[in-house]
Amino acid sequence: MDKLAPGDVVPLSSISGGNIAGGQEALARAFKSNLCRFWAQHKHGFCSMWEGLSRKEKGTFLRNCYENIPENSKDVGRHGKPLVDELLLSPEMNIQDLVSDGTGSLTCLFENWCNSDLKDDISHARAMVNSLMNRGKLPRQRPRQYTMLVDLDDEIKVGGFIECHQQMALDKFQQFEAMGVALQRDVYDLAQTRVNKLLSSLALWADLYRTKILRLDNFFVSSPCVGCANCRRPDSRNGSELRGCPGCVNRTVRLYCSKECQRAHYATHVRECKRRVEAANIGKADACQVCGDPESEEGGPLRRCGGCNNEQVKYCGTECQKAAWQAGHKKDCKRG
């Protein structure tokens, strides 16, 4: 182990017996892949939409997905410590820069993060965290754990975390850190927080554009999960993209391969779905309570529940009505 050099493959079993794991980096890869797909398809339309908005409208658009987004990069005085750390880790995430016409604008942020390599993103984030710690902006603590950065097939992977309770382990960490093959747990976590925060925020704004502007709900950029929420099938039964629950965009995302799976999963999903709350807020439902379709299966208007007979509970057909009844509507319905 003493002969390690930067880029060497580290036999984790000889140190901790740990396995290589994807962890947060796997989540970042999923976000990155979805974002690149979105930007390749919708870059021109998104940029045109953004240029057509006023400064106030841009701010509203940003706050729809990020309610506590700061007004500027120095807006930390009236906020608590968690937001201070968040601003330090993602200073570009503020209204003033994102609505500008400069290099910090939202479209430039999309362009930069969709055209960069994730490996470079993570490396830059780690360097940023180390810089903040060295300048005293973030506390640098005695490492309690560290991880080995394993280079396999030109891709950095992360091994299991190793405890630093004994001085010998701490000395070994410092030796590995100097070689560039080990990383302190705090640095790893904060760097991944920065990367995933930026990628997930961009994904939410991408979904807002797709659902509210383009009226699309068949794919969610902000969904890092793979497969149907009910049967785990990776695509729909006719080979196309999975369909989403439009009532949950930018909140709790679920994807389905078919209406049948969406109905079968509704008993589980109903507790987290926001469509019913929105229907109550506006006094009526504009989509099927279960599957989200805007019209009946015959192509006509949605049907109301015969027991409730109100505008807040509507269905596209008998099967969706049965699914809602079994999922708990029978307890709320006047007929029940």
Side-chain angles (χ1 to χ4, degrees):
M1 298 301 296
D2 293 338
K3 297 181 180 180
L4 276 175
D8 284 351
V9 174
V10 181
L12 290 177
S13 57
S14 66
I15 303 174
S16 64
N19 296 318
I20 297 171
Q24 294 188 65
E25 293 191 32
L27 182 65
R29 281 195 295 273
F31 277 131
K32 188 84 166 183
S33 175
N34 285 357
L35 272 173
C36 291
R37 176 181 177 181
F38 163 80
W39 199 238
Q41 294 176 344
H42 301 294
K43 174 182 175 179
H44 178 72
F46 187 92
C47 290
S48 297
M49 178 276 298
W50 190 248
E51 291 172 1
L53 296 179
S54 66
R55 184 183 180 88
K56 183 177 180 180
E57 289 171 333
K58 289 178 179 179
T60 301
F61 182 93
L62 295 170
R63 291 188 185 92
N64 275 333
C65 302
Y66 189 177
E67 185 176 351
N68 295 321
I69 187 170
E71 288 297 325
N72 55 66
S73 59
K74 298 180 180 179
D75 185 21
V76 297
R78 59 189 177 86
H79 298 295
K81 188 177 185 303
L83 185 54
V84 173
D85 288 350
E86 185 176 296
L87 285 170
L88 289 171
L89 292 172
S90 53
E92 54 271 83
M93 297 287 287
N94 66 84
I95 296 289
Q96 186 178 49
D97 288 340
L98 292 174
V99 304
S100 70
D101 296 325
T103 56
S105 69
L106 180 60
T107 52
C108 287
L109 199 64
F110 266 107
E111 185 72 17
N112 293 338
W113 281 80
C114 291
N115 289 308
S116 62
D117 184 80
L118 181 60
K119 185 176 177 180
D120 292 335
D121 295 338
I122 295 173
S123 295
H124 293 157
R126 290 170 179 167
M128 179 180 179
V129 171
N130 269 318
S131 175
L132 289 169
M133 286 183 170
N134 291 336
R135 289 185 286 135
K137 300 292 186 180
L138 289 173
R140 180 181 290 279
Q141 302 174 351
R142 179 185 184 277
R144 295 183 299 275
Q145 287 183 319
Y146 67 93
T147 186
M148 303 302 291
L149 304 180
V150 188
D151 193 344
L152 298 176
D153 299 326
D154 198 32
E155 182 179 351
I156 297 295
K157 296 183 181 294
V158 178
F161 286 98
I162 302 161
E163 300 292 337
C164 285
H165 293 315
Q166 299 179 0
Q167 185 62 41
M168 183 184 301
L170 179 59
D171 292 341
K172 186 63 71 174
F173 159 69
Q174 292 171 341
Q175 176 187 348
F176 290 150
E177 185 184 40
M179 297 177 183
V181 294
L183 194 71
Q184 185 175 330
R185 178 65 183 260
D186 291 347
V187 176
Y188 170 81
D189 285 342
L190 289 171
Q192 289 298 148
T193 296
R194 166 177 164 75
V195 171
N196 287 346
K197 172 65 178 178
L198 281 159
L199 291 176
S200 61
S201 296
L202 289 173
L204 289 174
W205 287 321
D207 279 339
L208 185 62
Y209 171 74
R210 280 179 54 87
T211 56
K212 300 302 182 183
I213 307 299
L214 302 183
R215 301 294 180 183
L216 299 174
D217 67 351
N218 62 331
F219 172 73
F220 290 97
V221 184
S222 59
S223 175
C225 63
V226 177
C228 172
N230 186 58
C231 70
R232 301 304 175 189
R233 186 186 178 97
D235 53 19
S236 70
R237 296 181 183 181
N238 61 8
S240 61
E241 294 175 340
L242 298 171
R243 60 184 284 142
C245 174
C248 295
V249 63
N250 298 335
R251 292 163 183 160
T252 305
V253 179
R254 291 289 182 266
L255 301 176
Y256 303 99
C257 67
S258 64
K259 265 195 174 186
E260 288 73 22
C261 273
Q262 193 166 1
R263 289 166 182 155
H265 191 255
Y266 186 69
T268 300
H269 180 57
V270 66
R271 294 188 295 273
E272 61 189 10
C273 185
K274 306 298 180 182
R275 187 184 298 112
R276 293 191 308 161
V277 176
E278 291 184 349
N281 289 339
I282 64 175
K284 65 177 182 178
D286 56 4
C288 172
Q289 182 173 318
V290 175
C291 71
D293 282 0
E295 57 184 24
S296 70
E297 293 177 340
E298 296 79 23
L302 297 168
R303 65 171 66 176
R304 286 181 287 183
C305 171
C308 297
N309 196 31
N310 68 47
E311 291 289 327
Q312 297 177 18
V313 183
K314 294 181 180 178
Y315 306 102
C316 67
T318 304
E319 294 304 316
C320 278
Q321 191 166 2
K322 287 180 180 178
W325 184 261
Q326 294 168 358
H329 181 60
K330 59 184 176 182
K331 296 179 181 178
D332 304 325
C333 185
K334 295 177 182 178
R335 179 174 53 191

